[in-house]
Amino acid sequence: MKIFVQIASYRDPELEPTIQSCLENAKYPENIVFAICRQYHPEDEFGKLEHYREDIRFRIVDVLYNESKGACWARNIVQQLYNQEEFTLQIDSHMRFEKDWDETLINMVLDLQKKGHNKPLITTY
């Protein structure tokens, strides 16, 4: 089961560490699909994502910082990259993940569905 991970990032030096944490701590990293709106400044020395650009799990949209129209606008861009993955996860570009986070979240959703909640939403702040 694929998880569509949506990240709208505005010049965040924590973007790549977030991706690394997500993949390193996933039980099934091959099932993680990323949609990233990378809002950047040409002089930024971080977050270029070169290591991920050839990886088929990544869908990356680059936007110059001065062409950005805000966080919700960037989230809309990544949502347009959805391709029928079974689950979706919207995160900030400065997150860290616990071990086997993907299995934990999928099991939470499936348990809620077994209890009769057809489209559960798991959220936190």
Side-chain angles (χ1 to χ4, degrees):
M1 289 188 259
K2 303 277 188 196
I3 301 176
F4 179 69
V5 178
Q6 304 174 52
I7 306 174
S9 177
Y10 185 84
R11 301 186 68 193
D12 192 344
E14 291 298 312
L15 174 59
E16 288 190 82
T18 294
I19 293 167
Q20 290 168 351
S21 177
C22 182
L23 291 172
E24 289 171 1
N25 289 297
K27 187 164 187 175
Y28 305 103
E30 67 276 9
N31 291 333
I32 309 301
V33 176
F34 291 88
I36 301 169
C37 180
R38 177 183 160 260
Q39 300 160 90
Y40 72 100
H41 189 290
E43 295 176 10
D44 290 342
E45 293 297 321
F46 54 82
K48 296 179 182 178
L49 305 180
E50 298 307 324
H51 178 74
Y52 303 106
R53 292 191 183 272
E54 299 299 318
D55 189 324
I56 62 170
R57 296 173 297 173
F58 285 79
R59 304 167 192 157
I60 302 168
V61 175
D62 295 310
V63 178
L64 282 168
Y65 76 102
N66 58 350
E67 294 176 7
S68 173
K69 295 181 176 120
C72 293
W73 173 84
R75 287 182 180 142
N76 180 55
I77 287 175
V78 294
Q79 288 171 353
Q80 302 309 309
L81 302 174
Y82 172 73
N83 189 25
Q84 305 303 311
E85 292 82 8
E86 292 87 350
F87 301 95
T88 184
L89 176 65
Q90 184 182 85
I91 64 170
D92 288 335
S93 54
H94 39 267
M95 308 285 293
R96 296 300 178 268
F97 291 79
E98 79 173 44
K99 187 88 172 124
D100 299 337
W101 66 269
D102 51 337
E103 183 178 61
T104 300
L105 286 177
I106 288 173
N107 286 339
M108 289 173 75
V109 169
L110 296 177
D111 287 344
L112 287 166
Q113 288 174 334
K114 286 178 191 172
K115 293 177 182 176
H117 305 284
N118 295 332
K119 294 183 180 182
L121 175 66
I122 298 170
T123 183
T124 185
Y125 178 74

